[in-house]
Amino acid sequence: MADEVKIDSQTFHTRLSSLTQAWKTDRRSGDALFAGVGSFVVLMGKNEEATSYHKSNAMHYWLLGYEFPATLMLFTPDSLWVVTTTKKAKHLEPLKGGKTPIEILSRGKDPEQNAKQFERCLDVIKSAGKKVGVLAKDTASGPFAEEWKKAFGDVSKDVEELDITPALSIAALAVKDEVELRNMRDSARASTGIMTEFFVEEMSEVLDEEKKVTHKQLTDKIDRKLDDPKFFQGLKSKLAADFDIQQLDWIYGPVVQSGGNYDLKLTAQSDENNLHAGTIIAGLGLRYKSYSSMLARTYLVDPNDTQESNYKLLLSVHDAVIKEAREGVAIKDLYNKAIAVIKSSKKPELEKHFVKTAGGGIGLETRDAILAINTKNTRVLKDGMTLYISTGFTDIENRQPQDKKSKTYSLLITDTIRIRRDQDPAVFTSGAASDTGSVCFFFKDEEEEAQPKKQNKKDPKVGAVAASNITKTKLRAERTTQIDEGAEARRREHQKELAQKKQQEGLGTYTEAAGDGEGVAQKKFKKFESYKRDNQFPSKVKDLAIVVDEKASTIVLPIMGRPVPFHIQTVKNASKSDEGEFAFLRINFLSPGQGVGRKDDQPFEDPTAQFVRSLTFRSRDAERMEIIAEQITNLRKNAVRREQEKKELEDVVEQDKLVEVRNRKPARLDNIFVRPAMDGKRISGEVEIHQNGLRYIDHRGSKIDVLFSNVKHLFFQPSTHELIVIIHVHLKNPIMIGKKKAKDVQFYREATDMQFDETGNRKRKHRYGDEEEFEQEQEERRRRAQLDKIFKNFAENIQQAARDEGWGVDIPFRELGFNGVPNRSNVFMQPTADCLVQLTEPPFTVLTLDEIEVAHLERVQFGLKNFDMVFVFKDFHRPPVHINTIPVESLEPVKEWLDSINIAYSEGPLNLNWSTIMKTITADPHQFFKDGGWSFLAAESDDEGEDEEEEESAFEMSDSDLAVSDESSEDESDFDDDASADEGSASDEESGGEDWDELEKKAKKKDREGGLDDEDTGRKRKR
């Protein structure tokens, strides 16, 4: 035994005491566990290389931390007898003097003395009782073991041998202490690291590059990783800081199986067949400081739907078994839970394919059969026990085989867990993902597109004209003047219901205490600190001169012989003036009541205190005063700029890290442009779908990451009537792209083929006319349709990858669109299921319909060609959004759309001052709704209609008045024609004025009077 062997005495005595205490407790309660034995023997023969431990090895490691070959341990409830060699006895001597007495018998070269030592042990066995415990299945070998067996055989007739294996498992080895659990956790993390960071990468490379590698070759590569310290150094983030690579060893596998030949037992070996791109089962187990862990995963390469659904069922069974494993649960209940899940599923026939044993105990032993998970094991789980859960289906028939080797397949998932009290077990191997997204690989190209159905050939000479392009009327004015009175009445009734609902919601939402008091959120007083200590002052202040300290953003002014610091945030401005031989520097400070209007919102800690409004300094050095004034001005500008930048970036969030897809190629779109462009340059790149977000990479290597958790809306806009096809992402919180923040990220590709050269195409040399143009149009339509399909499929893949986030792909309804000006330019606004968007031209517009409180239509009156629409949000602090200059032809469709999505709207003839209105609302929302809420908008439009009716009624005449007017008109008929003619000519002169011909004649007459006419000017020009 090496000199560096050091046994932990405290651990030895603690564990030995717990064993003997459990033994004594069992004797008092009826000998259910130890079966009434008075002593038991643990015999260790010669040292043998083995991948798994027997009970004798496990007991040595549990008590001593080492394996002592050629050693006999005899246990009684009150003592421990050890027979071993002299060298080993030296390491055991320090263990004496504990709670349990220890007798160490050292063997030498004298056979008689050695025989007496065994006889002494046999006397102890006889005196302890007639029942002696042995490890029945342990087969110790070697001269020492044979000598003991011979000696024990002489007295075996006088004692009864009982198998003590179950008792040692339950009382000693099954429940782990903190040190043991820590070693198992480190072992599991090492196993997980090899599986996820080496095997998966190696397997992916083999399959992707279609290499021919056998299972044995791949296993050997994994095996050699155990001797690669650099690999485990890369796993330092997952392993403990004091992790010792030298104490790692294999206990299971590694095993790789594929191609229809599967063995789910722990004795399985990798064969010489090549790795097959189908169902691949990989399993491995490591031992760290003698404590084991096991891990197995099934990887599905291009699986069909049945294989994937079967794996999902196995995964649900596996999860159910793990969740069932709690303290106090009988082990057989775990297996019964698995069977129950299979029977209650849509595929109960898979029960016959389920494994007969779903795991067992694990720790110092690779597999402790005493804790085997099957239908017969009635032992109860305890806190601190560790198990390996191994669920699987064997030899399932594949009714849709991808090839000859895929006709049958098996599925297996293995994890190492720890039982805990009153909570789900801890899964030590959870770092190796087992969900379908992590184990399903797709290396083949996308499925070929379904061939379009054959259509009857059309005569190419017959033009295809869209029916929507043919109008029934010739004049634009005739198309929108026809108003469906029934629809208008229906909308009016529905809007009344919506208005009442909004009123009730407002009264219920806002209490009397709600509101900002003055309609705007009050700013908080900010304290600015220039210096914390006197020694931080600039050295120049000793001269009692004005010092501008840019680092501290402070002006130090000499007042009454003392340097007094003023932070730049307290300074309003500085100016320099000259009077005679003196220069004056005036510094104005901020104080309450100084500003007027919007800028007078500077908060103060105590507005009633006395403030210094300005200070004036006089100097003969005018140049220095000029420099100081300029420094103060620049310092103030920089401070204001920093405040603005800080305020602008307040809502920018720092996203979590993107988790890249590692076990397969991520879905991607290439030749993609992004808006807003990075660094203002338009460079193409590609978009990839990863586990928790999107990544855009341009050809320079610049990246934009968009996490699914930060996505609010996802839009797909096809290329119909557009030049580009778009996937648009609207974010919850802005992110930084380059040096600017962005709340919208758009990926697009041009729909037109810019590389197509019409003038240089060969076809133009031989074919001319409409036929070629028609073919080009057909090709253009086909290319657009293909591009739309690719982008739509990619958007749906994004939705599938982010299925847990609760949003989907939204597509604009172009037929409901209308023109308007949301910002500066006239664009085409399009509703979607959840939003109103404009995605073609930046700046983009995305309005979430659920966030809109009401809509108001402004400038709706007879004679105007367009109107405006204002959206007020439920968050009254958010400024309303205006969409201006909407053609009046869209008025009825807009009303119908608003009504169909249950948005209350109103209309009026004038533009309202919304900033004032919103301040009034936010000052006291409860009072606003108490006074009628949004009814004032509807009342305004109703009052306008009533005024028009009153004006019209003023001109109504009774029958008698009409008769009198008729008589008077007959009497005055002689003068009607002349009078009307005179009135008409007068009105024409007053309104119309002279026409262009008359004005031109007068101009020529004045030119001739001045001696200049067209001919003269022409001659002068010729000369």
Side-chain angles (χ1 to χ4, degrees):
M1 189 70 64
D3 293 338
E4 61 269 12
V5 172
K6 186 176 181 180
I7 300 173
D8 189 338
S9 177
Q10 182 178 356
T11 301
F12 171 82
H13 286 289
T14 301
R15 293 180 179 178
L16 179 60
S17 177
S18 67
L19 174 61
T20 55
Q21 186 65 34
W23 190 357
K24 293 176 181 178
T25 302
D26 183 66
R27 295 181 72 173
R28 289 194 296 268
S29 59
D31 294 322
L33 188 59
F34 284 83
V37 298
S39 61
F40 66 87
V41 176
V42 175
L43 175 64
M44 176 70 73
K46 67 179 181 180
N47 191 10
E48 295 180 353
E49 291 291 334
T51 56
S52 61
Y53 290 159
H54 298 291
K55 275 291 186 294
S56 56
N57 306 75
M59 287 299 296
H60 274 244
Y61 277 106
W62 185 67
L63 286 173
L64 306 174
Y66 300 93
E67 183 179 300
F68 281 53
T71 300
L72 174 72
M73 288 185 177
L74 173 59
F75 294 84
T76 69
D78 301 314
S79 63
L80 170 62
W81 294 73
V82 181
V83 181
T84 187
T85 62
T86 304
K87 288 184 179 180
K88 299 185 187 75
K90 291 180 180 179
H91 298 291
L92 299 176
E93 286 294 334
L95 301 179
K96 291 183 177 181
K99 185 177 180 180
T100 303
I102 301 176
E103 286 290 335
I104 301 175
L105 306 177
S106 300
R107 288 171 60 82
K109 295 182 179 179
D110 186 358
E112 294 183 1
Q113 187 67 25
N114 294 341
K116 289 181 180 180
Q117 291 175 353
F118 281 154
E119 289 177 3
R120 191 174 177 184
C121 290
L122 294 174
D123 291 339
V124 173
I125 292 175
K126 292 177 183 178
S127 61
K130 292 186 177 182
K131 294 182 179 181
V132 58
V134 296
L135 302 177
K137 293 185 178 181
D138 279 357
T139 56
S141 60
F144 177 81
E146 295 299 328
E147 188 178 344
W148 165 253
K149 290 178 181 178
K150 183 179 178 181
F152 185 74
D154 296 338
V155 298
S156 59
K157 297 178 181 179
D158 300 331
V159 295
E160 180 184 356
E161 297 182 29
L162 296 173
D163 187 10
I164 203 69
T165 302
L168 294 184
S169 290
I170 301 301
L173 304 178
V175 178
K176 313 293 190 299
D177 58 27
E178 289 300 320
V179 176
E180 295 175 291
L181 292 172
R182 191 180 303 114
N183 292 335
M184 289 199 65
R185 182 194 62 195
D186 290 340
S187 169
R189 288 181 175 179
S191 301
T192 301
I194 292 178
M195 177 70 79
T196 58
E197 299 190 29
F198 179 74
F199 171 73
V200 172
E201 297 292 337
E202 195 71 20
M203 178 186 67
S204 302
E205 182 180 348
V206 171
L207 297 175
D208 195 18
E209 299 179 6
E210 298 182 355
K211 295 180 182 179
K212 292 185 177 180
V213 178
T214 66
H215 299 143
K216 189 70 170 61
Q217 290 172 337
L218 190 55
T219 299
D220 291 341
K221 280 189 176 182
I222 302 172
D223 192 2
R224 289 194 294 270
K225 270 296 161 187
L226 214 60
D227 301 322
D228 184 2
K230 292 183 179 179
F231 174 77
F232 287 97
Q233 288 174 2
L235 300 177
K236 282 294 184 183
S237 59
K238 298 181 180 179
L239 302 177
D242 58 348
F243 188 82
D244 184 4
I245 300 174
Q246 300 300 322
Q247 300 204 48
L248 274 178
D249 196 9
W250 294 107
I251 54 111
Y252 164 51
V255 183
V256 180
Q257 306 174 73
S258 67
N261 298 321
Y262 303 98
D263 183 2
L264 304 189
K265 297 179 182 178
L266 294 181
T267 56
Q269 299 290 328
S270 300
D271 56 29
E272 295 292 342
N273 295 325
N274 288 335
L275 185 69
H276 175 254
T279 302
I280 302 172
I281 296 178
L284 56 88
L286 286 175
R287 175 192 296 137
Y288 178 68
K289 292 184 179 179
S290 306
Y291 287 86
S292 308
S293 66
M294 273 198 288
L295 170 66
R297 292 290 182 265
T298 302
Y299 297 99
L300 305 174
V301 181
D302 296 313
N304 56 40
D305 294 341
T306 304
Q307 289 176 306
E308 197 168 349
S309 63
N310 289 343
Y311 181 82
K312 288 181 179 178
L313 174 59
L314 177 62
L315 189 60
S316 64
V317 171
H318 191 77
D319 292 341
V321 172
I322 290 178
K323 290 182 179 179
E324 187 73 13
R326 292 171 178 265
E327 185 180 37
V329 175
I331 293 178
K332 67 176 184 179
D333 292 341
L334 304 185
Y335 193 89
N336 294 335
K337 181 67 175 181
I339 298 300
V341 172
I342 298 172
K343 287 183 177 180
S344 62
S345 70
K346 296 181 180 179
K347 298 182 178 183
E349 67 275 7
L350 290 178
E351 180 188 354
K352 62 183 179 182
H353 297 280
F354 192 65
V355 292
K356 302 304 179 184
T357 302
I362 192 171
L364 288 167
E365 296 177 280
T366 304
R367 179 179 181 273
D368 189 351
I370 303 302
L371 301 178
I373 302 176
N374 52 39
T375 56
K376 299 178 180 179
N377 197 337
T378 58
R379 291 181 174 86
V380 177
L381 297 175
K382 296 180 181 179
D383 180 24
M385 285 185 173
T386 52
L387 308 173
Y388 74 94
I389 306 296
S390 184
T391 57
F393 294 126
T394 60
D395 300 327
I396 305 174
E397 181 184 358
N398 188 3
R399 297 181 180 179
Q400 297 176 335
Q402 293 86 341
D403 49 44
K404 293 181 180 179
K405 293 185 177 181
S406 301
K407 292 182 179 180
T408 59
Y409 63 96
S410 299
L411 303 173
L412 177 67
I413 306 175
T414 302
D415 281 302
T416 303
I417 69 169
R418 175 234 166 145
I419 306 301
R420 295 190 289 190
R421 182 180 289 110
D422 299 330
Q423 57 181 321
D424 291 341
V427 183
F428 288 148
T429 52
S430 60
S434 57
D435 58 284
T436 53
S438 300
V439 303
C440 292
F441 293 75
F442 298 92
F443 290 97
K444 293 183 180 180
D445 297 334
E446 296 289 336
E447 295 183 1
E448 297 182 359
E449 300 170 8
Q451 296 182 353
K453 296 181 180 179
K454 293 184 178 180
Q455 298 179 351
N456 296 329
K457 293 185 177 180
K458 296 183 180 179
D459 188 353
K461 297 181 181 180
V462 179
V465 180
S468 60
N469 293 336
I470 302 175
T471 57
K472 297 181 181 180
T473 58
K474 295 180 180 180
L475 302 178
R476 285 180 295 176
E478 297 178 6
R479 298 175 196 166
T480 56
T481 53
Q482 302 297 328
I483 299 176
D484 189 345
E485 295 181 359
E488 180 67 24
R490 174 180 51 79
R491 285 200 301 264
R492 192 179 292 113
E493 288 299 321
H494 186 217
Q495 285 299 312
K496 286 183 180 179
E497 296 176 2
L498 292 176
Q500 293 175 358
K501 185 178 179 181
K502 287 291 178 187
Q503 178 68 11
Q504 293 173 359
E505 289 178 355
L507 290 173
T509 303
Y510 297 100
T511 61
E512 295 185 9
D516 297 334
E518 296 180 2
V520 292
Q522 299 297 319
K523 291 187 177 182
K524 295 182 180 179
F525 173 73
K526 295 182 181 179
K527 289 187 177 181
F528 299 98
E529 191 173 35
S530 298
Y531 307 106
K532 292 183 178 180
R533 294 179 297 276
D534 293 343
N535 57 7
Q536 293 179 340
F537 276 88
S539 58
K540 294 181 181 180
V541 300
K542 297 179 180 178
D543 302 333
L544 291 179
I546 300 176
V547 179
V548 179
D549 187 358
E550 294 184 1
K551 291 184 179 180
S553 298
T554 299
I555 307 166
V556 182
L557 302 176
I559 300 176
M560 306 291 289
R562 292 179 178 273
V564 181
F566 292 87
H567 197 277
I568 192 63
Q569 294 290 351
T570 65
V571 177
K572 184 178 181 183
N573 53 42
S575 61
K576 176 251 182 186
S577 60
D578 296 320
E579 292 184 13
E581 59 181 0
F582 292 102
F584 292 87
L585 176 66
R586 181 183 176 91
I587 302 175
N588 296 319
F589 298 95
L590 295 171
S591 58
Q594 190 176 11
V596 178
R598 186 179 301 175
K599 292 185 179 180
D600 188 24
D601 56 357
Q602 178 73 24
F604 293 91
E605 189 174 19
D606 184 11
T608 62
Q610 293 182 349
F611 289 84
V612 177
R613 287 207 168 185
S614 65
L615 291 174
T616 304
F617 295 87
R618 186 180 69 175
S619 174
R620 295 181 184 274
D621 191 350
E623 185 176 354
R624 172 168 168 74
M625 292 291 104
E626 183 71 31
I627 293 173
I628 292 175
E630 185 177 354
Q631 288 177 340
I632 294 174
T633 303
N634 292 335
L635 194 61
R636 178 64 183 166
K637 287 181 180 178
N638 293 335
V640 172
R641 178 176 52 78
R642 285 194 299 268
E643 284 292 320
Q644 289 176 346
E645 291 177 354
K646 184 178 179 181
K647 185 176 180 181
E648 184 179 353
L649 300 179
E650 278 181 349
D651 54 349
V652 176
V653 298
E654 184 177 351
Q655 300 184 114
D656 295 333
K657 290 185 179 180
L658 186 78
V659 180
E660 298 183 33
V661 172
R662 301 181 64 88
N663 58 351
R664 66 180 187 277
K665 289 183 178 179
R668 60 165 57 94
L669 268 183
D670 53 4
N671 296 327
I672 299 298
F673 297 96
V674 66
R675 293 194 289 193
M678 291 184 285
D679 301 329
K681 296 179 181 179
R682 184 175 177 270
I683 301 175
S684 64
E686 58 184 23
V687 189
E688 299 176 345
I689 303 176
H690 290 277
Q691 290 189 25
N692 64 336
L694 304 175
R695 168 166 287 176
Y696 174 82
I697 310 175
D698 65 13
H699 297 320
R700 300 174 303 177
S702 301
K703 299 177 182 178
I704 299 176
D705 292 343
V706 178
L707 298 190
F708 294 144
S709 58
N710 193 29
V711 174
K712 189 175 183 180
H713 298 292
L714 175 67
F715 303 100
F716 160 67
Q717 181 172 297
S719 60
T720 308
H721 303 290
E722 300 288 352
L723 298 177
I724 56 177
V725 57
I726 295 170
I727 291 178
H728 187 97
V729 180
H730 183 66
L731 306 177
K732 298 176 183 175
N733 299 297
I735 61 174
M736 294 301 295
I737 298 181
K739 297 181 180 179
K740 297 182 179 179
K741 73 172 185 178
K743 201 171 183 178
D744 293 271
V745 182
Q746 186 177 104
F747 308 107
Y748 71 96
R749 189 190 296 175
E750 294 180 351
T752 55
D753 189 0
M754 301 300 293
Q755 299 176 352
F756 182 76
D757 185 4
E758 294 186 10
T759 59
N761 195 306
R762 288 184 180 179
K763 293 181 180 180
R764 297 194 66 83
K765 296 180 180 179
H766 307 285
R767 304 172 66 184
Y768 300 91
D770 295 339
E771 186 174 352
E772 183 186 3
E773 292 182 3
F774 178 75
E775 289 182 1
Q776 292 176 5
E777 291 175 2
Q778 292 281 59
E779 177 65 19
E780 177 75 13
R781 282 196 290 270
R782 186 200 64 76
R783 187 169 58 250
R784 282 175 174 263
Q786 177 68 14
L787 192 59
D788 289 346
K789 184 176 181 180
I790 293 173
F791 269 66
K792 186 177 181 182
N793 290 339
F794 191 78
E796 290 174 349
N797 289 340
I798 296 174
Q799 176 185 348
Q800 180 64 22
R803 53 186 174 273
D804 297 333
E805 297 297 333
W807 45 261
V809 182
D810 217 351
I811 303 176
F813 303 117
R814 190 173 183 87
E815 58 274 14
L816 298 178
F818 54 88
N819 286 297
V821 184
N823 292 291
R824 292 184 178 179
S825 57
N826 195 317
V827 293
F828 191 67
M829 306 292 300
Q830 301 180 77
T832 70
D834 300 320
C835 302
L836 176 65
V837 300
Q838 185 282 121
L839 309 176
T840 306
E841 181 180 331
F844 309 114
T845 302
V846 178
L847 302 179
T848 305
L849 300 179
D850 289 341
E851 297 175 356
I852 295 175
E853 175 80 2
V854 294
H856 183 63
L857 310 179
E858 299 180 331
R859 295 194 304 117
V860 178
Q861 54 181 310
F862 181 76
L864 295 182
K865 293 183 179 180
N866 40 53
F867 66 97
D868 304 331
M869 180 161 54
V870 181
F871 288 108
V872 181
F873 296 99
K874 294 178 180 177
D875 180 7
F876 294 150
H877 292 93
R878 185 175 171 185
V881 170
H882 298 252
I883 300 178
N884 301 325
T885 323
I886 305 173
V888 73
E889 291 85 0
S890 302
L891 180 59
E892 292 301 315
V894 166
K895 288 182 179 180
E896 185 64 30
W897 168 66
L898 292 173
D899 189 70
S900 65
I901 58 176
N902 295 328
I903 290 183
Y905 71 85
S906 55
E907 58 182 86
L910 303 174
N911 291 107
L912 303 178
N913 188 345
W914 284 99
S915 60
T916 304
I917 294 173
M918 298 313 296
K919 281 185 180 180
T920 304
I921 297 173
T922 53
D924 192 350
H926 177 76
Q927 188 62 38
F928 169 74
F929 283 101
K930 189 176 180 181
D931 294 340
W934 301 109
S935 60
F936 78 95
L937 296 174
E940 180 190 359
S941 58
D942 294 341
D943 294 342
E944 181 67 20
E946 292 174 3
D947 293 342
E948 291 178 358
E949 291 177 1
E950 290 175 359
E951 292 175 1
E952 292 174 359
S953 63
F955 294 94
E956 292 180 0
M957 304 176 67
S958 62
D959 294 339
S960 58
D961 294 336
L962 183 61
V964 173
S965 64
D966 289 341
E967 293 176 0
S968 62
S969 62
E970 290 177 359
D971 296 338
E972 299 171 359
S973 60
D974 295 340
F975 304 96
D976 284 346
D977 295 338
D978 297 336
S980 60
D982 294 341
E983 291 172 1
S985 62
S987 61
D988 290 341
E989 289 176 2
E990 291 174 2
S991 60
E994 297 174 344
D995 59 10
W996 283 105
D997 293 335
E998 291 176 356
L999 291 173
E1000 190 174 356
K1001 288 178 182 179
K1002 288 184 178 181
K1004 288 182 178 181
K1005 184 177 180 181
K1006 288 183 178 180
D1007 290 340
R1008 283 194 293 271
E1009 291 175 354
L1012 182 66
D1013 57 8
D1014 292 342
E1015 293 179 359
D1016 295 336
T1017 57
R1019 293 192 195 101
K1020 291 178 181 179
R1021 287 172 185 170
K1022 287 179 182 179
R1023 291 173 188 172

